[in-house]
């Protein structure tokens, strides 16, 4: 599958959870932000669930750094490194 089809499949999985942000790591790991559920969920490039971080209060965005460090921001201007 090409990337756009994988992306659409991931979004379809999350449709009931209202994703508010997304980031893709160079290794293909996908981070999806679900603000209403206070979670950042990580998925392998093939769509299999890898890990869930649920320590953020209304997360808004995530980004992968050059060393694959994941940083998430919240509604209240806070951030957390994973």
């Amino acid at each position: 599958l090409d990337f756009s089809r994988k992306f659409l499949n991931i979004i379809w999985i999350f449709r009931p959870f209202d994703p508010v942000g997304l980031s893709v790591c160079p290794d293909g790991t996908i981070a999806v932000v679900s603000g209403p559920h206070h979670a950042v969920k990580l998925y392998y490039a093939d769509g299999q669930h890898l890990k869930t971080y649920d320590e953020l209060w209304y997360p808004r965005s995530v980004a992968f750094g050059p060393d694959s460090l994941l940083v998430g921001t919240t509604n209240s201007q806070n951030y957390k490194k994973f």
Side-chain angles (χ1 to χ4, degrees):
L1 296 174
D2 63 285
F3 178 76
S4 60
R5 185 167 175 154
K6 285 182 187 178
F7 174 76
L8 291 174
N9 287 339
I10 294 289
I11 293 302
W12 180 255
I13 291 169
F14 288 103
R15 191 171 180 190
F17 301 107
D18 187 32
V20 295
L22 177 98
S23 184
V24 180
C25 186
D27 71 2
T29 304
I30 301 167
V32 179
V33 181
S34 177
H37 291 92
H38 310 284
V40 174
K41 297 182 180 189
L42 297 181
Y43 290 85
Y44 292 108
D46 65 2
Q48 291 183 4
H49 183 257
L50 170 63
K51 187 170 188 164
T52 298
Y53 293 103
D54 55 3
E55 303 114 17
L56 292 170
W57 186 251
Y58 288 103
R60 288 290 162 217
S61 63
V62 290
F64 286 100
D67 58 354
S68 299
L69 175 73
L70 181 65
V71 178
T73 62
T74 67
N75 221 12
S76 60
Q77 307 289 331
N78 295 322
Y79 71 94
K80 181 153 185 155
K81 296 177 184 178
F82 300 99

